[in-house]
Amino acid sequence: MDTLEPVGDNISGMARCPYDPKHANVALFTGGMLFTATVTDFLAIDAVIYRSLGDSPTLRTVKHDSKWFKEPYFVHAVEWRSHVYFFFREIAMEFNYLEKVVVSRVARVCKNDMGGSQRVLEKQWTSFLKARLNCSVPGDSHFYFNVIQAVTDILELDGRPVVLAMFSTPTNSIPGSAVCAFDMTQVAAVFEGRFREQKSPESIWTPVPEDMVPKPRPGCCASPGMRYNSSSAFPDEILNFVKTHPLMDEAVPALGNAPWILRTMTRYQLRKIVVDNAAGPWGNHTVVFLGSSTGTVLKFLILPNATSSPATTAPGSQSVFLEEFETYQPGRCGRDTEDEQRLLGLELDKAAGSLLLAFPPCVARVPVARCQQHSGCMKNCLGSRDPYCGWTPEGSCIFLEPSPRVAFEQDIAGGSTSHLGECEGERGAGARGRGGATRSSPDVSPTPGLVTESFVDEPDGLVSVNLLVISSVAAFVIGAVISGFSVCWFIGHRDRKELARRKDKETILAHSESVVSVSRLGERRARGALLAPLMPNGWPKELGKVTQHDLDSGVLPTPEQTPLQQKRCPGALQNCTWEQSHNIINAALRDPGGSGPAGAGRGHGG
């Protein structure tokens, strides 16, 4: 390419690219036709898989149908045989009873699809089907990596067509990333299986019985020689079934039923993936490069015969972690901020033996291997298990070009290097390795001089599980003690208040009885003259000024103020006792008119 001059006429970008660069956009050009997966409006509501250009009619997916798409985010598209496959993630309608659950999907359409009839699916896909991708850690309860981030093109691994996909967990889950491999023959087989349907909006999704599926099979590609040589000739029964049953019942299993690469509890999530399936001097090794959201690159070696492993393997057992290195350089690229460190793209330049990384302010190029860091130590060079590096008889670790003409030695299988002896300056080399931007594989058996630290050993802000458990238990115990003291104080305070309330009540009751006694005494004030002999000094002045309602016990005479009652006898009686005088007084009170002999005698005596 010598110039950047445009070729051909300008075409509309509608349904070919989004209005916002933040929206998803996937495109594949094959057979003179452009297949795109994007959104068609400003609000990113109308998601579409669209075919344009070429001699075939333009086709799209059904508009605003949640059974076809529910807020999808498209990741990649590949061509395989007579179909185009699209990888994306979306909200699963089959799990609508669990609110919003994001799952990863693969959908396919026939390249020769001509659309439906004028009655059903006109100018729309008649071969659109989708299935779930299963990338999970097996066990009693599977741990799913549901958010697909990136997918490779179809690779030839051990003679099988395979795609490697990068998955991560949702942001509100345990942070982790995984790489799963999918065989395209198994992907195609799932689309030949059972369909899944929802009979009513309130019912759950169930498989469709085979006797309910019309013939020919919905979603198949029409071709010459068949009963229907064009999709527009399909009966309405088949077209209606495809329109209402786009989801397959079974999920696409990962090779080995487990991730090939697994990383959890890391300080970042992995977002990009590139694969060199012809690594090493003879092109017989597979190396995977994973790019994180902050520009950190992790390198893994895929073990031989990984695709032909048993039915179920241990997660991560099909790979070996080689090294980790940083790629973003603030001095050359820009400021050291999170936005400018965000990795936008990762590509492999096989010819130059380097990686190309795109950041918002710049594009960086880094080598695929750093063999020079092992120079001077044969044990370090061989123990790195890096297919790009080899030890020469001259005593140096060099980067191996394809089909090298120099003698070299490698240990990719990971044999023991203990017979090689010790390296000079091991500690210094180890310190440089730990302080630099590169860390070697932790999967190699630890030997002196090897840098065996992984990024997992330096969580940078993450807390260990033991510390988290101890902190939780300590917080619970402290909270229980504080709660116990609080409850005891509250109960004691309540008891003290209840005791004080009872004492106050008893005091009030005693005071009320005194007032009642005084009130009764005030009713007899009119008869005070009769009691004058008992009070020779008269009533207190304060008591004479108050009324019955205002009577207060404070103005009443106290026992100290009340004089003793004198023993007086009427004149008619001589040598009488006090009891006799008291009886005479009581009789006078009952008979104020002075009737009776006692009254007459007292009046005569006066």
Side-chain angles (χ1 to χ4, degrees), residues 591 593-603:
D591 191 9
S595 61
R602 188 178 59 176

Side-chain angles (χ1 to χ4, degrees), residues 529-546:
L530 298 177
L531 300 177
L534 301 178
M535 298 292 293
N537 297 329
W539 292 91
K541 297 180 179 180
E542 293 82 1
L543 186 60
K545 296 179 180 180
V546 297

Side-chain angles (χ1 to χ4, degrees), residues 25-28 34-38 48-51 61 69 73-79 83-89 104-110 125 128-131 133 148 151 184 187 191:
N25 183 31
V26 170
L28 177 68
L34 179 63
F35 293 81
T36 57
T38 183
V48 61
I49 291 179
Y50 188 72
R51 185 185 69 185
T61 49
F69 287 129
Y73 188 91
F74 300 101
V75 174
H76 196 61
V78 297
E79 175 189 6
H83 295 87
V84 176
Y85 291 82
F86 295 88
F87 296 86
F88 62 98
R89 61 179 184 262
S104 298
R105 307 274 199 200
V106 56
R108 77 174 190 181
V109 293
C110 295
W125 296 103
F128 175 83
L129 298 174
K130 64 180 181 179
L133 295 172
I148 189 170
V151 182
M184 292 303 298
V187 174
F191 288 104

Side-chain angles (χ1 to χ4, degrees), residues 385-404:
R385 303 178 66 177
D386 196 328
Y388 297 105
C389 301
W391 183 259
T392 63
E394 289 77 14
S396 60
C397 192
I398 64 172
F399 180 82
L400 299 176
E401 300 289 343
S403 301

Side-chain angles (χ1 to χ4, degrees), residues 130-466:
K130 64 180 181 179
R132 183 182 181 182
L133 295 172
N134 183 2
C135 182
S136 62
V137 177
D140 295 336
S141 178
H142 285 230
F143 184 86
Y144 289 94
F145 295 86
N146 282 330
V147 183
I148 189 170
Q149 299 287 354
V151 182
T152 67
D153 292 328
I154 298 177
L155 307 171
E156 196 76 18
L157 298 181
D158 301 328
R160 303 176 68 172
V162 175
V163 294
L164 270 66
M166 167 66 63
F167 296 84
S168 66
T169 55
T171 55
N172 60 348
S173 178
I174 299 174
S177 302
V179 175
C180 287
F182 299 94
D183 191 336
M184 292 303 298
T185 57
Q186 294 182 358
V187 174
V190 170
F191 288 104
E192 301 298 327
R194 297 180 300 178
F195 294 90
R196 180 177 287 194
E197 67 176 353
Q198 186 184 29
K199 296 182 179 180
S200 66
E202 295 79 17
S203 61
I204 61 175
W205 292 69
T206 57
V208 179
E210 286 297 328
D211 56 353
M212 300 297 294
V213 179
K215 304 294 182 182
R217 182 178 175 83
C220 65
C221 299
S223 60
M226 295 178 59
R227 179 180 179 183
Y228 305 99
N229 57 6
S230 174
S231 61
S232 59
F234 282 146
D236 290 352
E237 180 186 9
I238 296 177
L239 298 179
N240 282 318
F241 188 92
V242 170
K243 184 177 181 180
T244 56
H245 298 77
L247 180 62
M248 308 308 298
D249 180 56
E250 297 181 2
V252 181
L255 286 176
N257 293 318
W260 280 10
I261 300 174
L262 181 63
R263 281 293 180 271
T264 58
M265 299 301 294
T266 58
R267 63 179 182 271
Y268 43 66
Q269 283 190 339
L270 303 175
R271 300 295 177 85
K272 304 296 180 181
I273 179 173
V274 292
V275 179
D276 184 4
N277 61 338
W282 313 117
N284 57 342
H285 296 287
T286 301
V287 176
V288 178
F289 298 90
L290 306 179
S292 72
S293 54
T294 59
T296 304
V297 175
L298 280 69
K299 185 167 68 174
F300 292 85
L301 171 67
I302 302 300
L303 298 178
N305 302 320
T307 59
S308 58
S309 58
T312 301
T313 59
S317 62
Q318 303 300 321
S319 62
V320 175
F321 176 60
L322 298 180
E323 63 175 335
E324 170 192 350
F325 51 91
E326 303 293 339
T327 59
Y328 184 81
Q329 300 180 4
R332 296 183 179 181
C333 239
R335 295 174 298 176
D336 191 8
T337 61
E338 182 178 353
D339 291 338
E340 296 195 358
Q341 288 186 7
R342 182 168 52 91
L343 183 62
L344 302 178
L346 177 64
E347 296 293 338
L348 173 66
D349 187 354
K350 178 65 176 178
S354 60
L355 296 172
L356 297 176
L357 301 97
F359 299 96
C362 67
V363 176
R365 180 189 292 272
V366 296
V368 294
R370 276 139 296 282
C371 305
Q372 67 279 2
Q373 69 177 343
H374 305 301
S375 294
C377 183
M378 183 179 181
K379 181 184 294 186
N380 289 356
C381 185
L382 298 182
S384 66
R385 303 178 66 177
D386 196 328
Y388 297 105
C389 301
W391 183 259
T392 63
E394 289 77 14
S396 60
C397 192
I398 64 172
F399 180 82
L400 299 176
E401 300 289 343
S403 301
R405 297 182 179 180
V406 298
F408 66 90
E409 185 178 353
Q410 287 182 324
D411 186 18
I412 307 301
S416 176
T417 58
S418 59
H419 66 281
L420 298 177
E422 302 296 336
C423 296
E424 296 181 0
E426 291 176 339
R427 295 184 179 180
R432 287 192 301 272
R434 287 187 292 270
T438 304
R439 303 180 183 91
S440 295
S441 167
D443 301 291
V444 184
S445 57
T447 55
L450 283 180
V451 183
T452 59
E453 289 187 75
S454 167
F455 70 103
V456 181
D457 300 330
E458 300 175 358
D460 285 358
L462 293 179
V463 181
S464 64
V465 177
N466 294 335

